[in-house]
Amino acid sequence: MKTKYGFKLFSIQEFENYIKNIKVGRTVLYIQQHHTYSPNYDLCNDINQLELQKGMKNHHVNTNGWSDIGQHFSTFPDGSIATGRSIENSPACIYGFNANAICIENVGNFDTGNDVMTRLQKETIVKMTALLCAKFNIPVSSDRIVYHHWFNLASGERNNGAGGNKSCPGTAFFGGNKVADCESNFLPLVQNVKNQIPTPTPISILEYRIITANKLNVRSLPSYTSEKALDRDAIPLGSVLRIFEEKNGWYKISSSSSHWIAGRHTEKVTRATVTADTLNIRNGSGSNFSIVGSLAKGTEIFITEEKNGWCKIGLETKWVKDTFVTKT
């Protein structure tokens, strides 16, 4: 492993150990696949991966005005993997579809006629996707493993590439960037690898709660006087956490470690699934309010408030009709 500019560079074997042991508070439901387009293979060599990662962060912060690099991980032609933004933070990679997601940027231009993906990068992309699915109990399906090409750039609506979309992760990415290409060429490879990864015993979740503080410290015991947990960062605003135990207004957020958060800085949320083919998101709790986006069938959401037959999603002013969601 190599460390530079605040990033870590792993081989796929090192990444497997890293992702197995890392503690993550927020609930992860989706994996995004992207390509960088630029930098492409012309700029890559065997020693400059973290320089390229730093360059991407500089662009995202200084040009785009984001708070950090957009992606959680980047893969490179030699099969190595660089860390990016904290895994506790949502990515800045698909407008309208970043909550509860992990973003993978695959370095290269994988549109037809450009970079031909190396065998090592292919193997890394497949295996790390399988490892993330195993880590976060994500089904290997096109509902949960998504391509940027499937989302309209202006509205965030999932339209599966019907118009107003990037080509990302590339028209030649594992045989194509359409949903059918993903289901035929990419997902079976991921499933085959995931089948070889030991599946942990399912653990009962008491409930879900969303963080309402800007950042919430994780403590080793259910008390403000206890020490902060040393092996995980504070959890940011809007993160949805799995709760395994409650004690005197404190919530245990790990099934294997003594990690607790203060309940006063959280709200209970309800997990639900979209049942309509396309569900409009409005900026208020009524059909007279403006449409600000839409959700595709099968999308998972977290409801923070219900009013007059409408459900508020997360902490933003976004509402959907309750007759088109099923609580899970």
Side-chain angles (χ1 to χ4, degrees), residues 221-259:
L221 293 171
S223 166
Y224 281 110
T225 59
S226 67
E227 294 182 351
K228 296 178 185 177
L230 298 178
D231 54 346
R232 67 192 310 164
D233 297 331
I235 303 174
L237 175 74
S239 297
V240 175
L241 309 184
R242 295 152 294 175
I243 305 301
F244 298 94
E245 184 181 343
E246 188 274 336
K247 183 180 291 186
N248 299 324
W250 287 75
Y251 293 98
K252 189 169 183 279
I253 62 169
S254 173
S255 61
S256 59
S257 301
S258 183
H259 290 165

Side-chain angles (χ1 to χ4, degrees), residues 29-216:
L29 301 176
Y30 303 99
I31 300 172
Q32 303 175 1
Q33 296 287 350
H34 301 256
H35 73 161
T36 57
Y37 186 84
S38 179
N40 61 8
Y41 275 20
D42 290 342
L43 299 176
C44 296
N45 60 49
D46 291 339
I47 61 172
N48 73 342
Q49 299 95 333
L50 295 184
E51 279 70 24
L52 293 176
Q53 191 78 336
K54 180 186 177 185
M56 285 186 273
K57 177 177 179 177
N58 289 343
H59 178 76
H60 291 170
V61 173
N62 298 324
T63 302
N64 294 358
W66 301 345
S67 62
D68 198 355
I69 191 170
Q71 67 264 33
H72 296 108
F73 302 106
S74 297
T75 72
F76 295 89
D78 68 345
S80 59
I81 302 165
T83 58
R85 70 166 52 197
S86 168
I87 205 167
E88 287 291 5
N89 294 325
S90 296
C93 294
I94 298 180
Y95 174 70
F97 201 82
N98 287 313
N100 310 115
I102 284 180
C103 172
I104 302 171
E105 281 281 1
N106 302 298
V107 173
N109 177 0
F110 302 120
D111 284 338
T112 302
N114 292 281
D115 296 330
V116 177
M117 189 183 293
T118 65
R119 175 184 59 83
L120 290 173
Q121 191 171 18
K122 283 183 179 179
E123 291 174 352
T124 284
I125 294 169
V126 169
K127 186 164 186 179
M128 76 178 299
T129 303
L131 289 167
L132 290 168
C133 286
K135 170 75 173 181
F136 298 106
N137 194 29
I138 298 173
V140 179
S141 74
S142 56
D143 290 332
R144 299 299 192 88
I145 300 172
V146 301
Y147 292 180
H148 195 180
H149 175 63
W150 303 345
F151 296 84
N152 182 276
L153 291 174
S155 67
E157 174 190 0
R158 177 167 176 173
N159 63 10
N160 292 336
N165 309 70
K166 280 188 171 183
S167 66
C168 179
T171 54
F173 182 83
F174 286 86
N177 60 1
K178 303 302 182 185
V179 175
D181 299 322
C182 175
E183 293 174 343
S184 298
N185 304 324
F186 184 59
L187 297 186
L189 299 176
V190 175
Q191 187 65 64
N192 286 341
V193 175
K194 184 172 182 283
N195 290 342
Q196 302 170 38
I197 301 172
T199 303
T201 303
I203 299 172
S204 178
I205 297 172
L206 182 66
E207 60 187 52
Y208 293 92
R209 300 192 76 87
I210 192 168
I211 302 295
T212 56
N214 286 332
K215 279 196 173 182
L216 185 58

